[in-house]
Amino acid sequence: MRVSATSALAAGAIATLASASDNYLGFNSGAMKTDQSAKFKSDFLAEFNTAQGLKGAPGKFDAVRLYTNIQAYSVSDPIEAFDAAVESNTKILLGLWTSGTDNIDNEMTALKSGLKKHGKDLASLIIGVSIGSEDLYRISLTGLKNDPDGVGAGPDVITKFIKEFKSNFADSDISSVPIGHVDTWDAWTNGTNKAVIDAVDWIGVDEYPYYEEGKGNNIKNAGTLFDNAYDAPSRPLWGEAVASVENAEYYWQEVGCRRLFNKTPTFWYNLRDSNGANKQSFAITNNLSTTPRFNLTCPDHFDTDSSSSSSTGTGTATSTSASTATSGAGSSTTGGVSPSSSATESGSGSGSGPTSSSTSTPSTTAVPGSGAASLTMMGATFLVAVFGTAFALI
Ligand SMILES: *[C@@H]1O[C@H](CO)[C@@H](O)[C@H](O)[C@H]1NC(C)=O
Ligand SMILES: *[C@@H]1O[C@H](CO)[C@@H](O)[C@H](O)[C@H]1NC(C)=O
Ligand SMILES: *[C@@H]1O[C@H](CO)[C@@H](O)[C@H](O)[C@H]1NC(C)=O
């Protein structure tokens, strides 16, 4: 990571983040529905309106993390989530799909078209860009064990795309938006991937304790497991994990309320389900009702002993080391989102895999579990944003 070159950027981004809202609260949104049909503007708008209107929510969920700029069913049209975000004033963490391809031309074309169409109305909503999602995980030993046919991308590919993106948008309205990459924690601690750390402004980490079997991942331990991973990063949690609405609520309270909401930018997984390959459900709403499936209001007391864990949130950490940076991130050894591998054109992305072409064992691979993904802004100060955390409801 280019500390001197990026600290101004990072600081600027943080100022923006801090002034725009105390902390981001959002969900992740794939390009497709669970039946693999495309989402269009009305679908995104319905999601964004539900998110903002959630009864009992501990804050306003008015941010969204996307996995692609490309509208599903098109080659390089801008995703209609942009239109919906502008209309509903929803902040966006952009995503570019980078696995199974040797270029990001269509992704960049789609984004440029979106910016041309909406100008600053869109640019001002963009809070960051993730070049890729779990690409490194999918070609890691764990990733390949969970899905031998998984298609990912190596550090050389990711860094090349990061450079290309930066140079292509250097003179655009989003030139100062921080660029990062989201992956599982063990991808970040794998020295072979260090070049990616050097190339980004922030690090995003996915954490899905629900899937981490063999580590005592029953729901009562979820908070502690999240903390261990978030702070270490070590190993979070699906051996003892039981998917239920009750457990999803408990996880919301012990991880979301206790540790994340209004303390660190958080993109919960998820408002509604979008990955048809997942057996589990993570949707906190039924058919986008603003009355959620469990009580979102935060309690006053928590079970998890927080005393040994460091505080989260907008920190003023001085270290820019990888371990510090990633300490804000939990992790899971199983991926959070599992799009299908060849998602570029359809702009799939997690939760929106086009056709599950290659997933031979979808149940183990891609299920986003109870987990969280984090976005760590690196630099003199850094922010840790959590992208995908939740506990399966079904
Ligand atoms: C470490 O990363 C490299 C490159 O991404 C990958 O090929 C390798 O399998 C990873 N190691 C482990 C233990 O997963
Ligand atoms: C979900 O809501 C939409 C819009 O209100 C409605 O058209 C649709 O029938 C509902 N689906 C289910 C399964 O309730
Ligand atoms: C929701 O949770 C809050 C905080 O624990 C509590 O005060 C409130 O009564 C609950 N609401 C319902 C409908 O159970």
Side-chain angles (χ1 to χ4, degrees), residues 256-305:
C257 293
R258 178 186 60 86
R259 193 80 206 262
L260 301 173
F261 302 145
N262 306 309
K263 296 185 176 71
T264 198
T266 301
F267 296 79
W268 199 262
Y269 200 96
N270 219 357
L271 184 66
R272 72 164 165 189
D273 293 314
S274 54
N275 189 340
N278 285 354
K279 283 184 185 157
Q280 282 77 13
S281 169
F282 289 89
I284 64 153
T285 57
N286 188 7
N287 200 15
L288 294 183
S289 165
T290 53
T291 300
R293 293 171 70 188
F294 55 81
N295 187 351
L296 299 184
T297 303
C298 291
D300 297 332
H301 303 290
F302 305 102
D303 281 358
T304 306
D305 176 9

Side-chain angles (χ1 to χ4, degrees), residues 23-369:
N23 268 293
Y24 297 120
L25 281 175
F27 293 95
N28 301 269
S29 186
M32 299 198 175
K33 300 181 188 169
T34 40
D35 63 2
Q36 312 291 357
S37 65
K39 286 187 199 167
F40 295 100
K41 179 186 173 185
S42 59
D43 299 302
F44 287 112
L45 197 55
E47 280 184 20
F48 301 166
N49 287 337
T50 295
Q52 293 189 20
L54 283 172
K55 294 178 181 127
K60 195 171 180 187
F61 279 77
D62 61 356
V64 67
R65 179 262 184 119
L66 304 176
Y67 298 91
T68 179
N69 295 309
I70 303 172
Q71 173 59 30
Y73 296 166
S74 85
V75 173
S76 60
D77 291 348
I79 191 166
E80 294 184 16
F82 295 163
D83 306 295
V86 167
E87 191 166 319
S88 59
N89 202 22
T90 296
K91 298 170 196 83
I92 309 171
L93 191 296
L94 294 175
L96 275 74
W97 194 251
T98 51
S99 279
T101 182
D102 61 2
N103 72 76
I104 50 170
D105 295 350
N106 290 337
E107 285 283 359
M108 295 195 295
T109 298
L111 178 54
K112 282 175 185 169
S113 302
L115 288 168
K116 194 170 171 195
K117 177 177 180 185
H118 295 290
K120 293 201 160 56
D121 289 347
L122 175 62
S124 63
L125 293 172
I126 297 172
I127 57 180
V129 182
S130 176
I131 308 293
S133 177
E134 297 193 353
D135 312 82
L136 301 170
Y137 157 74
R138 285 191 294 276
I139 57 165
S140 70
L141 293 185
T142 310
L144 289 171
K145 182 173 155 242
N146 287 334
D147 180 6
D149 300 322
V151 176
D156 47 337
V157 174
I158 302 295
T159 51
K160 173 174 133 330
F161 289 162
I162 289 169
K163 287 191 190 102
E164 255 181 74
F165 185 90
K166 287 190 175 184
S167 93
N168 263 271
F169 289 88
D171 296 320
S172 73
D173 284 344
I174 58 166
S175 60
S176 60
V177 164
I179 312 299
H181 169 75
V182 177
D183 226 299
T184 54
W185 78 272
D186 50 338
W188 290 116
T189 54
N190 176 342
T192 312
N193 298 327
K194 182 176 180 296
V196 179
I197 295 176
D198 294 339
V200 295
D201 303 320
W202 54 267
I203 285 175
V205 182
D206 286 333
E207 177 177 354
Y208 289 92
Y210 174 79
Y211 295 103
E212 304 221 6
E213 56 191 333
K215 294 167 191 165
N217 64 338
N218 87 54
I219 186 64
K220 293 289 173 185
N221 272 337
T224 300
L225 284 165
F226 178 90
D227 287 357
N228 290 344
Y230 198 89
D231 293 340
S234 63
R235 326 265 143 139
L237 322 163
W238 35 342
E240 296 174 40
V242 177
S244 69
V245 172
E246 190 185 13
N247 285 353
E249 177 172 13
Y250 184 86
Y251 191 81
W252 174 274
Q253 293 170 353
E254 292 298 317
V255 171
C257 293
R258 178 186 60 86
R259 193 80 206 262
L260 301 173
F261 302 145
N262 306 309
K263 296 185 176 71
T264 198
T266 301
F267 296 79
W268 199 262
Y269 200 96
N270 219 357
L271 184 66
R272 72 164 165 189
D273 293 314
S274 54
N275 189 340
N278 285 354
K279 283 184 185 157
Q280 282 77 13
S281 169
F282 289 89
I284 64 153
T285 57
N286 188 7
N287 200 15
L288 294 183
S289 165
T290 53
T291 300
R293 293 171 70 188
F294 55 81
N295 187 351
L296 299 184
T297 303
C298 291
D300 297 332
H301 303 290
F302 305 102
D303 281 358
T304 306
D305 176 9
S306 299
S307 56
S308 60
S309 96
S310 67
S311 68
T312 332
T314 321
T316 46
T318 48
S319 168
T320 56
S321 75
S323 60
T324 302
T326 54
S327 71
S331 63
S332 83
T333 49
T334 51
V337 264
S338 74
S340 70
S341 37
S342 57
T344 349
E345 282 134 359
S346 49
S348 62
S350 112
S352 69
T355 51
S356 45
S357 48
S358 62
T359 39
S360 52
T361 53
S363 61
T364 45
T365 12
V367 214

